[in-house]
Amino acid sequence: DAKTTQPTSMDCAEGRAANLPCNHSTISGNEYVYWYRQIHSQGPQYIIHGLKNNETNEMASLIITEDRKSSTLILPHATLRDTAVYYCIVSFNKLVFGAGTILRVKS
Amino acid sequence: GAVVSQHPSRVICKSGTSVKIECRSLDFQATTMFWYRQFPKQSLMLMATSNEGSKATYEQGVEKDKFLINHASLTLSTLTVTSAHPEDSSFYICSASDITGGRSPLHFGNGTRLTVT
C-alpha cells in the first residue's frame, strides 16, 4: 500500500472550514483514498473515500488532484465535536494507518 | 449504516489467563474482518486479516499462537489473547468489510480495552 504524509497537527476555528491535506505521491492506479477519524478511546469512524473524482457526502468533501498524488479533506463548518485524529489512507484492500493529523477545533 | 459491534468493551484479566474478544457485523455479512491493536498515543497497528472459513493471515511480527483468530461465520470473528501478560494491555479494534465487495469502506467496532494485571 502506498504511504501517506500528513501534517502532525492543525488548528481550526469553530464554524470555519477545516482543510486537511494528504500527500500520497506513490499511489497506484487501483488504490483508493480513504479518510477516517478517531475520537479518543473510540474506534475509527469512516468519513469518505474516492478514486479519482472529487466526492462529497453529509460529513465532508474530498478533493483529489488530477495526478492523484495528493488530496484534501474538507470539513465545511467545523464544530468542537470534530476535534479528532484524522487518518488519510491509500489502499486497494486492507487499511494501514499512519500517524494521522490531530485536528483541534477551537471556539 | 453498517454497524460493527465488539464485546466486551473493557476487560481486566490476570497475567497468564486467556481473553476472548468478539467482533460482530450486525447488519451485513463480512467475509473479511481485520484486527488492530493500538497503544496509548500511537496509531492503529494491523495485526491480522480474518477470513471466513479459512486461516487468518498475520502481519509480520504478530505471533499467531498468541493471538488466535477464528472467523466461523459471516458475521462473527473472535480474537483470543492467550497467556496474556501486562505488555498485551492495549486497545484492540476490529473492522469488517461488506460481502458485496467493491470498494465499500471498512466499518470499525468501538474497541476493547484490555488490561492485564
Side-chain angles (χ1 to χ4, degrees), chain B residues 30-95:
Chain B
T31 52
T32 304
M33 292 185 175
F34 301 88
W35 287 95
Y36 294 82
R37 179 168 56 180
Q38 186 175 33
F39 292 108
K41 299 189 186 302
Q42 294 185 23
S43 186
L44 286 77
M45 185 196 79
L46 179 64
M47 298 175 67
T49 302
S50 167
N51 299 297
E52 188 266 338
S54 64
K55 290 184 178 180
T57 303
Y58 291 81
E59 296 297 308
Q60 192 172 8
V62 178
E63 300 174 58
K64 62 181 175 142
D65 294 330
K66 182 167 183 61
F67 299 99
L68 301 179
I69 292 173
N70 183 278
H71 192 157
S73 77
L74 286 173
T75 59
L76 174 65
S77 176
T78 61
L79 168 69
T80 301
V81 182
T82 62
S83 187
H85 289 97
E87 58 265 31
D88 298 323
S89 298
S90 189
F91 191 49
Y92 292 87
I93 309 168
C94 73
S95 68

Side-chain angles (χ1 to χ4, degrees), chain A residues 17 37 43-45 63 68 82:
Chain A
R37 71 181 183 185
Q45 178 189 22
I63 308 298
R68 303 213 316 129
D82 291 322

Side-chain angles (χ1 to χ4, degrees), chain A residues 24 45 56 58 62 65 82 87-88 104:
Chain A
H24 31 80
Q45 178 189 22
T56 295
E58 64 278 5
L62 173 61
T65 58
D82 291 322
Y87 297 100
C88 167
R104 300 185 191 90

